[in-house]
Amino acid sequence: MEFIQNYFSNHMDMVYFFYGTCFIFMGVSLYIQPRTENNVLTKNLWLLILFCLTHGFHELAEMLLYSYPSSPPLLAIKTTLLLTSCCFLFLFGKNLLSICDNNVMNFVCKNKIILPAAIAIVVIIAFNVETELPTAIDILSRYLLALPGSSMAAISFVSFVNKENEIQKAATTRTLLFAAATFTVYSIISGLIVPKGSFTPSNMLNYSAFHLFVGMPIELVSGMLALTMLASLVLLLREFNISIQKKFIDNAYHLSFINRIKDVSLQPMDFTVELGKILNIICAIRSMPVKPAASIFLIEDDPDVLVLKSQVGLEDGIIKACGFIVKDKCICGYAAETGTVMFKSVIDNKLCKIFIDGKTTKRGQYSVPISSDGNLLGVLNLYVKEGHTPNNLEKRLLSSASKILHSVIGRHNAEKRIQYIEYMRKNEVLLTELNRMADLATVSAGLSHEINNPLSFVKSSVSLIQKKVMVFDHFIRHTKSLIEKGSSLNDYKELLEQFEIDEYMALIKKKIDTSYRGIDRIMEVVNALKTFSRCDVLGVDEVNINACIDNTLAVVINRRKKVNIVKEYSELPPYTCEPTAINQCLYQVLENAKHAVSDNGTIRCSTSHIVEQGDIITIRIEDDGVGMSEDTLKKAFVPFFTTREVGSGKGLGLSIVKGILNRHGANIEIESYEGKGTSVTIRLPIICLVPDEDSF
């Protein structure tokens, strides 16, 4: 041992050279290492590289100073290099620790007065006690910069192990702890063991004491420790590179996975077949040790029930048991309810009871909501082997698949809605015409009484006139006989009195007047019905809205039900429209009003021409009938909804009215209060571009 101590004591220049060369080699090696991963360590590695280089050159300056001890420039260079290298090490440790947000860093930030005061006291004591300034700077640089810098770096590596972060994901725990151990040992060797000074603890923990106790210079141990630190950091960088390469591979696979699903989604095919092909791609995920099964549940009629829409690889028992799933049942129901991705490595009968041949199926399962911006369309399920360990790639792939599925399902739903709208448009004209024909049949049945009454009067009058014509025939024959006989004037007077000619003439005149009135009423009803149906006018024409209301009233209101009609018309300009369609709208509204009022009820019809609000004709039809509740009012325009008895109402009236008015660029509003009556307002724009039939 004494021989070794003497040897190193006599060859300290070689020891300094070895020490400095190790740190320079460490700095150069770290610099040339490939750094593909961009994290907090690689971002601050330049500080550690500068520390290694400056500290290595400091030791080479120490070597030269050993050969030329009385050179002030060398002493100044050595001291400057040491102070600079310690500053780099301190900054490296501080930056790592600040990213970690460790409790130690919080303590440092909270005690901004205590720590600087303590450092100031140490500096004052050192400079007052220590006689040599370079030695004091050397000791204080190690105490105040190197020791805390390397300690903070060691604490940071330990923190990376326990905290979820980018370094923890890329490096193994063993490598991080290895790096932490090397920096911890270096903080003790280089931060606590310093050149011999005149104050505590430098007068006890110093180079000379270490040399006597260990048997070799501390510089030799520090050089070997530098190589160990280099090994730990190279291992870390290597793991970072492997991690980034794995990310590149995973990203490429992720992109290929998305492209395959998109290719399927862009091909024209049946919706169910498309979902099945997408599930086959999902089941081929490379990380699965055994090919899994998969399924897609969609929300259809009931928003709280998931319906099995497509599956791949499921057993018949599972298909039967899982045809319908309530949202808060089973793992996929929970995923739909919470809107989060769920994974269970083992699904037992406590979470999902599915029995096949009397046994409970055990498996692992991913459940991914198919949603976007809170719009839930269904759930994607991937059934894996029991005890399967999930990974981030699988979650990314399933999340991407669910997003594409959301667009695929959303597109399918939109196409269904478009098809329904096209179907309704194609059938709107037919429905309108059928409804108009049904209304005409209803009107005709109601007007039969209006025509039968005057017809009865006419028939009765004609029958009576026919009988009186026979009396006149006898009178004329007797008159001819008197003429032939040359009778006197008195004979003629007696004949007139005998046949009561004057009374018969008055009666015949009265019956003719009655017949004329009956015929006028019949002509009035027929003309109103003709105007209402507009059978003689096809397409677009100019009409007078007031006249349309009058004609429709003549058709709707009859003598079977006594209704008071109040008309408040304004002077209106001609309105270009489809006359038959507008008459049908007025008929539906007035018919509803007639049914709503009781005997002697009132229907008020008013019109106005408003130029200020865009040249609009406003029609308001009010009644004092039974009115509608809020729920009924909300459903007023719903097709096939009616409040009348079965068989007496089709429930299409107002829905067709709204469709007709929409085609004319008009709108309809209804205000109703139960027990008080209803008010219907129709606004017709004067400039109305009525669409062609091709637009329906």
Side-chain angles (χ1 to χ4, degrees):
M1 178 67 80
E2 184 177 353
F3 170 76
I4 296 174
Q5 290 179 349
N6 293 332
Y7 177 81
F8 283 122
S9 298
N10 296 328
H11 298 84
M12 283 302 297
D13 53 346
M14 296 177 58
V15 173
Y16 289 133
F17 179 78
F18 172 75
Y19 187 13
T21 304
C22 287
F23 268 92
I24 293 174
F25 175 74
M26 178 179 174
V28 173
S29 299
L30 290 178
Y31 177 76
I32 63 176
Q33 285 293 315
R35 294 186 293 277
T36 53
E37 175 75 10
N38 190 20
N39 54 45
V40 62
L41 179 60
T42 54
K43 288 178 181 178
N44 291 281
L45 196 62
W46 65 275
L47 291 171
L48 187 62
I49 293 172
L50 291 177
F51 159 72
C52 294
L53 294 176
T54 53
H55 197 64
F57 284 116
H58 159 263
E59 295 303 327
L60 293 180
E62 189 81 54
M63 178 190 70
L64 295 175
L65 193 61
Y66 178 79
S67 302
Y68 305 98
S70 59
S71 175
L74 278 177
L75 183 60
I77 293 172
K78 178 190 82 82
T79 303
T80 303
L81 288 173
L82 175 63
L83 183 60
T84 304
S85 66
C86 290
C87 288
F88 285 135
L89 181 59
F90 179 83
L91 291 175
F92 173 73
K94 171 185 169 296
N95 289 350
L96 289 186
L97 195 61
S98 62
I99 298 297
C100 292
D101 193 21
N102 195 271
N103 292 332
V104 175
M105 200 64 193
N106 291 336
F107 175 79
V108 172
C109 295
K110 290 179 181 178
N111 297 276
K112 295 182 178 180
I113 298 178
I114 298 176
L115 288 178
I119 293 172
I121 293 173
V122 173
V123 171
I124 292 171
I125 293 174
F127 281 104
N128 287 333
V129 174
E130 190 64 47
T131 55
E132 296 183 5
L133 180 62
T135 304
I137 294 175
D138 192 325
I139 295 173
L140 290 176
S141 297
R142 296 178 185 275
Y143 280 164
L144 302 180
L145 296 175
L147 176 61
S150 55
S151 299
M152 287 188 290
I155 294 172
S156 299
F157 287 121
V158 175
S159 299
F160 290 144
V161 175
N162 299 322
K163 190 175 181 180
E164 184 75 14
N165 51 64
E166 54 188 358
I167 291 181
Q168 190 268 343
K169 293 177 182 178
T172 61
T173 301
R174 181 177 56 186
T175 307
L176 289 171
L177 293 178
F178 179 35
T182 57
F183 274 87
T184 301
V185 174
Y186 183 79
S187 67
I188 297 173
I189 295 296
S190 297
L192 287 178
I193 302 176
V194 297
K196 187 175 182 180
S198 303
F199 59 94
T200 305
S202 62
N203 56 1
M204 294 183 293
L205 291 176
N206 50 57
Y207 291 170
S208 301
F210 182 86
H211 196 172
L212 290 174
F213 182 77
V214 176
M216 63 180 64
I218 193 172
E219 290 83 0
L220 186 63
V221 176
S222 296
M224 292 185 290
L225 186 58
L227 297 178
T228 307
M229 293 170 62
L230 174 63
S232 67
L233 293 173
V234 169
L235 286 175
L236 271 179
L237 294 176
R238 179 174 174 273
E239 290 183 354
F240 292 160
N241 293 335
I242 294 174
S243 173
I244 200 65
Q245 291 173 5
K246 184 176 181 299
K247 284 183 180 180
F248 285 139
I249 295 173
D250 289 347
N251 288 338
Y253 182 79
H254 185 200
L255 183 61
S256 172
F257 177 82
I258 292 174
N259 289 334
R260 279 182 287 161
I261 295 179
K262 285 185 176 180
D263 288 342
V264 172
S265 67
L266 294 176
Q267 297 175 9
M269 65 181 72
D270 180 73
F271 178 61
T272 306
V273 175
E274 184 177 5
L275 293 183
K277 288 190 175 183
I278 292 176
L279 287 180
N280 280 322
I281 296 174
I282 294 173
C283 289
I285 293 177
R286 69 183 185 189
S287 60
M288 299 296 174
V290 179
K291 185 176 181 180
S295 66
I296 294 176
F297 286 82
L298 298 183
I299 296 175
E300 294 188 339
D301 298 328
D302 190 342
D304 294 326
V305 176
L306 297 168
V307 180
L308 180 61
K309 197 67 176 179
S310 183
Q311 59 82 27
V312 171
L314 288 184
E315 301 178 40
D316 293 338
I318 297 181
I319 296 174
K320 184 177 179 181
C322 294
F324 299 91
I325 294 179
V326 182
K327 268 190 179 181
D328 59 349
K329 305 295 182 183
C330 191
I331 181 173
C332 53
Y334 297 143
E337 183 71 18
T338 59
T340 57
V341 179
M342 299 193 69
F343 173 79
K344 295 292 181 181
S345 59
V346 178
I347 304 295
D348 54 18
N349 59 347
K350 293 181 180 179
L351 184 60
C352 183
K353 294 184 178 180
I354 300 176
F355 294 92
I356 300 177
D357 299 330
K359 297 181 180 179
T360 305
T361 62
K362 289 188 177 181
R363 67 194 186 282
Q365 181 174 332
Y366 280 103
S367 288
V368 185
I370 304 174
S371 63
S372 178
D373 297 329
N375 179 23
L376 178 68
L377 299 180
V379 175
L380 167 64
N381 294 314
L382 186 67
Y383 308 97
V384 298
K385 185 179 180 182
E386 180 184 357
H388 176 76
T389 302
N391 57 61
N392 292 330
L393 177 62
E394 292 172 358
K395 295 179 180 178
R396 288 174 58 199
L397 295 177
L398 292 176
S399 296
S400 298
S402 71
K403 292 178 181 178
I404 300 175
L405 280 170
H406 188 276
S407 63
V408 170
I409 298 167
R411 182 190 63 197
H412 171 72
N413 293 340
E415 289 174 352
K416 285 175 61 178
R417 287 194 293 270
I418 292 173
Q419 291 173 0
Y420 174 76
I421 292 172
E422 290 296 328
Y423 172 80
M424 292 302 295
R425 284 180 177 176
K426 289 179 181 179
N427 289 278
E428 184 178 358
V429 176
L430 178 60
L431 285 173
T432 304
E433 186 63 23
L434 290 175
N435 192 63
R436 187 173 70 87
M437 297 301 294
D439 291 338
L440 284 175
T442 303
V443 168
S444 299
L447 292 178
S448 62
H449 178 74
E450 298 295 317
I451 296 175
N452 283 336
N453 278 347
L455 275 177
S456 298
F457 296 150
V458 173
K459 183 178 180 181
S460 176
S461 299
V462 171
S463 177
L464 181 60
I465 292 172
Q466 186 179 14
K467 291 179 182 179
K468 300 305 177 184
V469 167
M470 298 297 295
V471 175
F472 274 99
D473 183 56
H474 290 297
F475 174 74
I476 292 172
R477 285 200 301 269
H478 281 80
T479 303
K480 288 181 178 180
S481 176
L482 290 176
I483 292 173
E484 291 175 356
K485 292 179 180 181
S487 300
S488 64
L489 184 60
N490 290 331
D491 293 333
Y492 287 107
K493 290 181 178 180
E494 290 176 0
L495 184 63
L496 286 173
E497 292 176 358
Q498 179 184 352
F499 281 92
E500 299 177 347
I501 294 301
D502 293 336
E503 294 179 6
Y504 286 158
M505 288 297 294
L507 181 60
I508 289 173
K509 184 178 180 181
K510 180 179 179 181
K511 292 300 180 181
I512 290 175
D513 291 339
T514 302
S515 298
Y516 270 119
R517 288 197 301 271
I519 292 171
D520 288 340
R521 176 58 182 164
I522 293 172
M523 291 180 64
E524 179 186 350
V525 171
V526 171
N527 287 332
L529 184 60
K530 179 182 177 182
T531 304
F532 167 75
S533 61
R534 298 302 297 249
C535 296
D536 58 337
V537 179
L538 298 176
V540 178
D541 195 12
E542 286 188 351
V543 298
N544 185 297
I545 293 298
N546 292 336
C548 290
I549 298 174
D550 286 337
N551 292 325
T552 307
L553 282 170
V555 172
V556 173
I557 308 301
N558 52 59
R559 292 185 176 88
R560 287 185 176 182
K561 190 172 186 178
K562 295 181 179 180
V563 179
N564 299 316
I565 303 297
V566 178
K567 300 178 181 179
E568 297 176 353
Y569 294 161
S570 300
E571 186 175 350
L572 302 177
Y575 178 63
T576 304
C577 64
E578 297 177 65
T580 304
I582 293 300
N583 285 339
Q584 187 174 0
C585 292
L586 294 172
Y587 171 81
Q588 294 292 348
V589 176
L590 289 169
E591 181 73 10
N592 288 342
K594 183 188 75 172
H595 279 278
V597 300
S598 57
D599 284 339
N600 295 317
T602 300
I603 297 177
R604 185 182 301 274
C605 301
S606 61
T607 59
S608 61
H609 180 209
I610 304 175
V611 181
E612 294 79 7
Q613 298 181 7
D615 204 9
I616 293 174
I617 292 176
T618 300
I619 305 170
R620 187 183 299 275
I621 299 174
E622 302 170 282
D623 65 70
D624 57 359
V626 296
M628 291 182 285
S629 64
E630 290 186 7
D631 292 337
T632 303
L633 185 58
K634 291 178 181 178
K635 301 176 184 177
F637 296 104
V638 176
F640 304 107
F641 173 77
T642 180
T643 57
R644 301 180 193 174
E645 296 180 359
V646 177
S648 61
K650 302 174 292 297
L652 287 172
L654 288 179
S655 64
I656 289 179
V657 167
K658 189 171 185 179
I660 292 172
L661 294 176
N662 286 341
R663 295 206 312 268
H664 287 74
N667 63 71
I668 180 172
E669 295 178 0
I670 301 178
E671 294 181 6
S672 185
Y673 300 95
E674 199 167 5
K676 295 182 179 180
T678 302
S679 173
V680 178
T681 303
I682 298 175
R683 294 181 176 87
L684 305 170
I686 297 298
I687 302 175
C688 174
L689 300 177
V690 181
D692 298 331
E693 292 184 359
D694 295 339
S695 65
F696 295 140

